[in-house]
Amino acid sequence: MPGPCTGHHRWVKSTGYRRSWYERRLPLPLRGLLVLVAGLGVLFCGQQILEGYRTTMVYRDAPVCEGQGCVRTAVGTVTGRKTGEHCTSDTSGGAAGTTGGGGTTCTRYYRAEVEWPGRTASLSVDSDTYDEVRAGDRAELRIWRGEVVGLLVRGHNHSYPPSSQSGVGPWLALASLILATGVWGAVSGRPSRLLAFPNFGWLFVAIGIGWLGSMALFGGHVLVWAFAILWTGFAVFWIVGAWRDG
């Protein structure tokens, strides 16, 4: 009968049209605009990375003194301590240094609550410091532009990177994602390729790039280097395998 048959063909035709739009390349002017915007985005990220690097180098060369451009010292008091766990979903079970179960991996953290004239802070410490520190203990602080960059308490010395240093990694990761999007616009331009499931692995690659790039600029422990390389390499391997299997 013509009625149902016609409706069926209309549905197939409509579905095919939507799918073909999803598979087709974006128009050349739109792709060109995308590449231009991606280039500007990478340039902006590069400026933030350069500024973070310069500021961090200024900090590293700054003397400990009380004048302008110095790392200042302050004396404070420990007001308490805190511990807990940061938990994330995990399908591979527990790992070294973590407690896992039921698809969750948890890492314990330790903090010392410190107070000095006009300010308070919750500072990360290791387990040994956490076990020894008590409320009322004297704490010696080093401060750079309002940020705590050092803590000495009960003979335990801790250093903390300034925000200019810790912020470089995320900018590097964002720059790599923007660059990858620009390359996609220039080479492919097909939405189906950009949003394909294996490409979500590039988020983990970007994290690895930010991690490795930050350590290349500021240095890092050999074990952290090894883990970051393993993380990034596994993410790339997963992407390649997902595309091959898909």
Side-chain angles (χ1 to χ4, degrees), residues 211 215 220-230:
W211 202 350
M215 288 192 294
H221 194 279
V222 62
L223 293 179
V224 181
W225 270 102
F227 186 81
I229 292 171
L230 183 64

Side-chain angles (χ1 to χ4, degrees), residues 127-207:
S127 59
D128 291 339
T129 303
Y130 176 84
D131 290 338
E132 294 181 22
V133 74
R134 295 292 183 271
D137 284 346
R138 171 190 169 95
E140 297 180 17
L141 304 162
R142 289 191 175 186
I143 301 171
W144 166 255
R145 297 183 179 180
E147 300 178 49
V148 177
V149 293
L151 169 67
L152 177 62
V153 59
R154 283 189 174 263
H156 296 276
N157 199 358
H158 296 271
S159 298
Y160 310 98
S163 58
S164 58
Q165 177 177 335
S166 57
V168 165
W171 282 115
L172 282 165
L174 180 60
S176 65
L177 288 175
I178 294 174
L179 179 61
T181 303
V183 171
W184 165 81
V187 175
S188 174
R190 292 183 173 87
S192 60
R193 301 292 289 181
L194 178 65
L195 300 177
F197 175 71
N199 283 343
F200 286 100
W202 287 108
L203 295 173
F204 296 94
V205 174
I207 293 173

